[in-house]
Amino acid sequence: MTAERTGPERSSRDLEQQILELTTLYEISKVLTESLDLEVTSTKVLRLLSQLLGMQRGTFMMRDPGSSRLSIVAAHGMTREEITRGKYKVGEGIVGRVVSTGSPIVVPSIGSEPLFLDRTGARSRLPDRGIISFLCVPVKVGGEVVGVLSVDRLFEDRIPFDQDLRFLTIVAGSIAQAVRINEMVRDEKQRLLDENLRLKSELKGRYRFENIIGVSDRMQTVFGQVDRVSKSSATVMLRGESGTGKEMIAGLIHYNSPRSQGPFVKLNCAALPDTLLDSELFGHAKGAFTGAVGEKRGRFEMAHGGTLFLDEVGDLPVSFQVKLLRVLQERQFERVGGTETISVDVRLVTATNRNLEEAVRAGTFREDLYYRLNVIPIFLPPLRERPEDIPPLIEHFLARFNRENDKNVRISRDVYETLLRYSWPGNIRELQHAIEHAVVMAAGSEARETDLPLSVLNGFPGVAVVPAGNASDRAPGPSPGNGSPLSTIERSEKNFIVDALEKCGWVQSKAARALGITPRQIGYKIRKYGIAGPR
């Protein structure tokens, strides 16, 4: 990049130049990995070329998407107004010709080159345009020219332009990699946005009123209440037994509200130990506790602009209820171990199967929190109180599990009558599991009574279903809850549970699936009957 020299002096200068170029390439590689913002990174690259190699003015231009025009993405040595004027068509001027041909061009003296347009006007301020050389190389991604890199430098006789072009071509290749990565990230971001919109659309479709099954008068009343509260921002508490569809109704409220484009975030308060509730709801700062290797957003932050659904809110420990009350009153909180106060805009929907009024009287649930949450209560009736909803639910689940298991199983008349007579203590969730069990276990095209879960069959003393091990011979034993003897049905139920646990290696979740009930239900039964594990 200096006038030609001879002998040892030239060798020394060449070595210095090579070291300088390698140093520059190293610094450029660091810059290009700092950010995905092409304007920021390419501006820094042009500045490095000026600082380390004496290349004065420089630009990085790219083709505008869907057009044949070129615009400046980044520049060094130009004003904002000059950058705005720098627009060229493909084939127009030196820059446009480099794009159309895909080959680099060197203009030793811009003052004597008619093709040099200087559309930016950046060189018009110079006293003598003849002292400036212009070098322009293409930026290619996958063989396609997506832009150009150009620099100005002081004109010198016998300058080795081939060396300059070689170096700038390497730099252009590095920028091309950054462009390619930027495009990949942009495409992936767009794909995720499209996927997010698709999933939101599917969820909104799933939570349409016509997709929630409930033909009974009781459920039509619930739908009317949901329709009215959805249009408001009021806090709603869903009351009802486990398995009555409280989470589905919470989704119905959110996706039919003005917040439907925001997030719908769920948390089961009973599924987490007390020590994790703070972190899950409010998040934590890096280093807040052992294992907190990074900052984490809590559910309240995640639900900003949308709805937060707290299931089993009646199981919150009293010590935590005070913290929740403060957030509901102030809509502000701090992450665990953090000092920054975070404000959120969240609509709260809660659910519980507990009698909170009794809990308030017993002192296990704060009265002030109760009134804060119970602004609009909606009571979901148990399935046994709306038997007219059972047939359409059976047909819905039957179609769903046939589709999922690639089957075409029908329900026999006897099975249908059994399902209609059963009291469904686990409500819709238990009915869903029972139909799935029947479809999966059916050997032919028709499900029989023996294909139903034992818990459903056990609800009918006349049905003789005795599992292996002669469960009926087991000793009855007293009921641990009140010390009174077990009834025949209770004794039989206990024997079925013990038998299932033994077959499943005393893994409660596996035994629950075998019986067609939930892990929570089998846990309740184990406590109720005082069932102890293997000795």
Side-chain angles (χ1 to χ4, degrees), residues 225-226 229-230 232-239 249 253 308-310 347-351 372-378:
Q225 294 172 331
V226 170
V229 301
S230 295
S232 73
S233 58
T235 300
V236 179
M237 179 180 285
L238 304 175
R239 311 287 297 270
I249 296 298
I253 292 172
L308 176 61
F309 173 53
L310 297 182
R347 184 193 191 167
L348 193 66
V349 177
T350 63
R372 176 69 65 173
L373 297 177
N374 199 44
V375 177
I376 299 182
I378 297 179

Side-chain angles (χ1 to χ4, degrees), residues 279-280 282-286 294-299 301 335:
S279 176
E280 281 297 320
F282 308 133
H284 62 248
K286 182 179 180 180
E295 185 179 84
K296 175 185 175 181
R297 294 195 310 154
R299 304 298 174 99
E301 279 185 86
R335 294 193 186 105

Side-chain angles (χ1 to χ4, degrees), residues 39 42-51 54-60 72-85 116 118 120-126 132 134 150-153:
E39 180 179 355
S42 51
T43 299
K44 290 182 178 179
V45 168
L46 294 171
R47 191 178 301 128
L48 280 170
L49 292 175
S50 173
Q51 292 172 348
M55 296 183 178
Q56 297 184 327
R57 194 171 291 100
T59 63
F60 169 50
I72 296 177
V73 174
H76 175 70
M78 292 186 182
T79 65
R80 176 56 58 182
E81 183 181 356
E82 290 168 346
I83 292 174
T84 304
R85 290 198 297 262
F116 190 81
D118 191 21
T120 64
R123 286 87 175 176
S124 60
R125 299 183 264 110
L126 300 175
I132 297 298
F134 181 74
S150 65
V151 296
D152 292 3
R153 49 151 301 169

Side-chain angles (χ1 to χ4, degrees), residues 60 64 181 262 286 342 386 480 492 519 529:
F60 169 50
D64 296 333
I181 292 172
K286 182 179 180 180
I342 300 170
R386 49 186 182 106
S492 178
Y529 297 129

